[in-house]
Amino acid sequence: MTDVQSNHESGKAPLLSEATLFRMSRYLNVLEEFMQGGVERVSTRKLADLLNVNPAVVKQDFLPLNVRGQTGVGYAVPELLTAIREVFLARSPFHFAIVGFGNIGQALANYISFERQGFKLRAIFDINPKLHNYSVRGVPVFDIDKIPIMCRECCVEIGVICTPASTAQEIANLLVAGDVRGIWNFAPTELIVPSEVILVHEHLTRGLLTLSYHIGQRHDMERTCQEYSSLSENK
Amino acid sequence: MTDVQSNHESGKAPLLSEATLFRMSRYLNVLEEFMQGGVERVSTRKLADLLNVNPAVVKQDFLPLNVRGQTGVGYAVPELLTAIREVFLARSPFHFAIVGFGNIGQALANYISFERQGFKLRAIFDINPKLHNYSVRGVPVFDIDKIPIMCRECCVEIGVICTPASTAQEIANLLVAGDVRGIWNFAPTELIVPSEVILVHEHLTRGLLTLSYHIGQRHDMERTCQEYSSLSENK
């Protein structure tokens, strides 16, 4: 689950809402799968069904892309994919760095899908000296005091914080000193960063919390139905 | 980033929007940190500042909680925390299982915050026979053909899919056969599940995609400013 903290003013490109942006990233996944499977055309309805949204929403989302679908034939998959990639990755590859080489940091460092999408891991940082001889696919692990200099040297635009909550603010400050433009925060804490730095929160517990909330809701609903039917039976 | 796929009808408890739900999980984190730090009271403004939202939004969010704040003193942290926990975890502990013991699966299995929040890992599944003697804090790794029987036996309500996209639908079918009520999907693919099963998508690339989109937007805006000032200078 992601929360974006960004005070936008109107720029040159069309500004998409967070909800549209979320759907765009799902279209991207679906279209990449279609490409790999050799699917050449896709209809609005097919995409709407896959994402469980109204076809009118899909049509609305594609308006700023300047890609034309043909009635009865749909969109050309490669053209649509290129247009959506352009939305996200106009200036790719994006360089990123991971701070904190625990479970989450290691999982992200080994997540090769990032590279396919246009993101290049340039550096890893950890406080533990035992990890400083380690590297992941040629990317070395440095001490955290190297964050500002290495981020500037490797043109790191996005810093990913995978440390405990207690050190996350200190790490955010070091990343800001390293001139990163965005921070992706996995630490379960709020952070204070300058307004020009974009902050995306990714708290893993929220996925489970969202599910438990919805499951609880369903449970309540079922109980109401049962109570209602037992009331009816007793009449 | 999470997308929830759930066709709700009105139940007994108040139905919160996804945006409110996201903020609720952030309040939960913040309040837990306050509790650990011995902070007894918190004001609407402090919470609003931390989450970078309007204080009116915080007040609106807390209306259904039936927790009263005092003017000039704020809310009692323990009371507010209990009320928010109740929203998510009315029937905790929730039992969950992880399918796919690669990097993401291992990171989630070792993420102890889940337990603190009321989620109990009951089983892990992987296709690789070499992993079937392995266990994480007493939770064993089983073969995937055991998913239906073990999920039912351990009353697993939430299945977490951490497999490649190519096998995710097969795993989802096995979880549904095991009577799970919700699926948390880390595989970068859309899934088809019965309408009574709640589906939450968590595609990790979306965090980076969202950041690169916003950084691209800022870049366009800055370029527009530069173009404007060079135009002014040439006049």
Side-chain angles (χ1 to χ4, degrees):
Chain A
M1 178 150 319
T2 310
D3 294 304
V4 183
Q5 200 163 300
S6 163
N7 308 319
H8 265 296
E9 293 165 44
S10 65
K12 213 168 185 176
L15 195 59
L16 305 178
S17 74
E18 289 311 310
T20 312
L21 215 49
F22 288 9
R23 283 193 301 276
M24 285 289 188
S25 66
R26 291 177 78 182
Y27 298 134
L28 192 65
N29 281 324
V30 167
L31 291 168
E32 277 177 347
E33 281 190 80
F34 282 166
M35 275 293 275
Q36 282 163 22
V39 179
E40 288 176 10
R41 295 240 159 219
V42 63
S43 67
T44 308
R45 176 157 292 280
K46 174 80 180 169
L47 287 168
D49 285 352
L50 277 169
L51 268 73
N52 201 26
V53 297
N54 194 302
V57 172
V58 178
K59 278 187 188 143
Q60 187 69 33
D61 286 345
F62 289 175
L63 273 184
L65 298 181
N66 288 322
V67 174
R68 289 223 182 142
Q70 267 180 278
T71 317
V73 190
Y75 295 94
V77 169
E79 195 190 348
L80 194 54
L81 188 55
T82 305
I84 295 180
R85 277 205 183 120
E86 188 69 16
V87 169
F88 288 111
L89 300 160
R91 298 184 305 123
S92 76
F94 268 86
H95 291 182
F96 72 104
I98 292 171
V99 190
F101 202 55
N103 290 307
I104 300 287
Q106 287 177 39
L108 294 176
N110 284 298
Y111 201 62
I112 51 167
S113 301
F114 290 150
E115 270 164 40
R116 196 167 45 81
Q117 303 257 22
F119 299 97
K120 202 165 163 42
L121 178 63
R122 293 304 306 272
I124 302 165
F125 303 95
D126 199 281
I127 203 164
N128 182 354
K130 285 183 191 160
L131 294 171
H132 298 162
N133 292 323
Y134 200 85
S135 73
V136 176
R137 288 175 288 125
V139 180
V141 180
F142 301 100
D143 194 9
I144 57 162
D145 63 8
K146 296 269 193 332
I147 292 175
I149 190 161
M150 289 307 296
C151 282
R152 277 199 294 263
E153 215 161 87
C154 300
C155 301
V156 168
E157 289 177 291
I158 298 171
V160 188
I161 301 182
C162 305
T163 67
S166 53
T167 51
Q169 184 62 55
E170 181 199 348
I171 299 300
N173 298 347
L174 289 168
L175 288 168
V176 169
D179 293 339
V180 301
R181 300 173 65 104
I183 290 177
W184 192 19
N185 175 38
F186 280 78
T189 187
E190 304 298 322
L191 297 174
I192 297 162
V193 295
S195 62
E196 67 270 21
V197 175
I198 296 153
L199 185 59
V200 167
H201 288 284
E202 189 92 32
H203 296 175
L204 285 176
T205 38
R206 287 180 204 175
L208 285 182
L209 287 171
T210 305
L211 274 164
S212 65
Y213 169 76
H214 284 291
I215 292 172
Q217 284 281 327
R218 288 275 171 98
H219 182 77
D220 281 352
M221 200 171 76
E222 286 160 11
R223 200 173 49 195
T224 310
C225 295
Q226 280 167 2
E227 280 166 9
Y228 179 79
S229 55
S230 67
L231 270 176
S232 311
E233 282 163 18
N234 291 341
K235 263 182 196 170
Chain B
M1 178 147 321
T2 309
D3 294 304
V4 182
Q5 200 164 303
S6 163
N7 308 317
H8 264 299
E9 292 164 45
S10 66
K12 213 167 185 176
L15 195 58
L16 306 178
S17 74
E18 288 311 310
T20 311
L21 213 49
F22 288 10
R23 283 194 300 277
M24 285 290 188
S25 66
R26 291 176 77 181
Y27 299 134
L28 193 65
N29 280 325
V30 167
L31 291 167
E32 278 178 348
E33 283 189 78
F34 282 166
M35 274 294 277
Q36 281 163 22
V39 179
E40 287 177 11
R41 295 241 160 217
V42 63
S43 67
T44 308
R45 177 158 294 280
K46 174 82 180 164
L47 287 169
D49 285 351
L50 278 169
L51 268 73
N52 199 28
V53 295
N54 193 301
V57 172
V58 178
K59 277 187 189 144
Q60 187 68 31
D61 286 345
F62 290 175
L63 273 183
L65 298 179
N66 288 322
V67 175
R68 288 220 183 146
Q70 267 181 279
T71 316
V73 190
Y75 295 94
V77 169
E79 195 189 348
L80 195 52
L81 188 55
T82 304
I84 295 181
R85 277 204 184 122
E86 187 68 20
V87 169
F88 289 110
L89 300 160
R91 297 183 305 123
S92 76
F94 269 86
H95 291 183
F96 73 106
I98 291 170
V99 189
F101 202 54
N103 290 306
I104 301 287
Q106 286 177 38
L108 294 176
N110 285 299
Y111 201 64
I112 50 167
S113 300
F114 290 150
E115 269 163 39
R116 196 168 44 81
Q117 301 258 22
F119 299 96
K120 201 162 166 42
L121 178 63
R122 293 304 306 271
I124 301 165
F125 302 95
D126 198 280
I127 203 164
N128 182 354
K130 285 183 190 157
L131 294 170
H132 298 162
N133 291 324
Y134 201 85
S135 73
V136 177
R137 287 175 288 125
V139 180
V141 181
F142 300 101
D143 193 8
I144 57 162
D145 62 8
K146 297 269 195 331
I147 291 175
I149 192 162
M150 289 307 295
C151 281
R152 277 198 294 262
E153 214 161 88
C154 300
C155 301
V156 167
E157 289 176 292
I158 297 171
V160 188
I161 300 181
C162 306
T163 67
S166 54
T167 50
Q169 183 62 56
E170 181 199 347
I171 299 301
N173 298 347
L174 289 168
L175 288 168
V176 169
D179 292 340
V180 301
R181 301 173 65 105
I183 290 177
W184 192 20
N185 175 39
F186 280 79
T189 188
E190 303 299 323
L191 296 174
I192 297 162
V193 295
S195 62
E196 67 269 20
V197 175
I198 295 153
L199 185 58
V200 168
H201 288 285
E202 190 92 30
H203 297 176
L204 285 176
T205 40
R206 286 179 204 175
L208 285 182
L209 287 171
T210 305
L211 275 163
S212 64
Y213 169 76
H214 284 290
I215 292 171
Q217 285 281 325
R218 288 277 171 99
H219 182 78
D220 281 351
M221 200 171 75
E222 284 159 13
R223 202 174 48 194
T224 310
C225 296
Q226 279 167 5
E227 280 165 10
Y228 179 80
S229 55
S230 66
L231 269 175
S232 312
E233 281 162 18
N234 292 340
K235 264 182 195 169

